[in-house]
Amino acid sequence: MAFDSGNRLLKLFSTTNDSGGAIAFYTRAGAGSSDTDYGTERLRIDASGRLLIGRTNSTGSHVLEVFGGTDNEPIKVESSDAGAYIRFEDDDTTGSTRVGAIDNDFKIDVNSSERMRISSSGAASFKGGTVLVEATSNTTNAQLSLGRPNSTSAGYIRYINNENAMAFRTNGSGEDMRLDS
C-alpha cells in the first residue's frame, strides 16, 4: 500500500512476484470474536478490474456483477431529480439511449428522444418518426390511438365494453364506423 501525495491517491497493490491479486472489502454486523474476525466479504475488485458486489468470483467477463442473494431487486437506481435512468452507450453512440423512471412512469429514450412510455395507469405509448401509437384501457373502454407526435386525434380503434362494440375513427373527431354484436 502506498500514498501518492502528488495525486492524492491511495494505491493498493501486491509487492510479491505472484500473478493476479484483488482488493476485497469486508463488513461485520457487530463486535468480532477476535482480532482476526474480519466479517463477510461484500465487495471485490478482481485482478482484471471487474467490480464484484456480493460475489467473490466472476461468472464471466462483465465489468460489474451484482449478486443480491434472496433479494429480487439487488440494484436500486434513485435520483433526487425528476427522473432516474440507466444509460447505454457504445463507441458509436451519438445520442442518449436510456431506460428509467420519471414520476411513476417507465420510459425508454432512444437517440435522445422518448420512444416508449408506460404510465402508472398502465397506458402504453410508442413514438417513432411521425407516428404515435398509444394503447389505453379502463373499465369502460380499451383503445388504440394512432396519430402524430403530441396528438392522438388522427384515429383510433376502440372497444366499448358495456356495448360489446368496436368503434373506429379516422382523421378528426367523432366516430366514423362501428361494429356491434
Side-chain angles (χ1 to χ4, degrees):
M1 179 167 43
F3 183 71
D4 177 346
S5 61
N7 293 314
R8 312 288 300 160
L9 183 67
L10 179 63
K11 297 180 179 182
L12 301 173
F13 53 90
S14 173
T15 58
T16 63
N17 289 330
D18 60 355
S19 62
I23 301 170
F25 297 86
Y26 289 74
T27 63
R28 60 181 183 197
S33 58
S34 71
D35 287 341
T36 58
D37 177 12
Y38 301 118
T40 303
E41 183 174 329
R42 305 297 182 183
L43 182 139
R44 173 181 291 245
I45 301 171
D46 73 8
S48 298
R50 291 185 285 261
L51 178 60
L52 311 174
I53 301 172
R55 292 195 174 280
T56 57
N57 294 304
S58 176
T59 60
S61 60
H62 307 95
V63 174
L64 171 65
E65 292 186 33
V66 179
F67 178 72
T70 59
D71 189 348
N72 292 329
E73 299 174 0
I75 298 175
K76 179 181 179 181
V77 177
E78 184 176 356
S79 171
S80 62
D81 203 351
Y85 296 93
I86 299 172
R87 186 173 174 159
F88 300 90
E89 288 187 11
D90 66 14
D91 58 350
D92 290 326
T93 303
T94 58
S96 176
T97 299
R98 60 192 191 163
V99 297
I102 185 163
D103 297 321
N104 289 317
D105 296 353
F106 175 75
K107 185 177 164 210
I108 297 176
D109 294 342
V110 177
N111 198 23
S112 301
S113 295
E114 181 177 328
R115 299 296 183 202
M116 184 180 120
R117 182 183 292 234
I118 301 173
S119 74
S120 59
S121 67
S125 62
F126 305 89
K127 302 173 184 179
T130 59
V131 177
L132 167 72
V133 177
E134 183 174 46
T136 57
S137 179
N138 57 42
T139 57
T140 308
N141 301 315
Q143 179 169 308
L144 180 64
S145 301
L146 308 168
R148 296 172 298 282
N150 302 319
S151 169
T152 57
S153 65
Y156 67 66
I157 301 169
R158 177 185 294 161
Y159 185 77
I160 306 160
N161 288 320
N162 61 352
E163 297 177 22
N164 289 326
M166 186 162 304
F168 300 85
R169 178 177 78 193
T170 59
N171 197 24
S173 61
E175 191 176 289
D176 294 327
M177 183 173 84
R178 178 183 282 237
L179 301 173
D180 59 28
S181 59

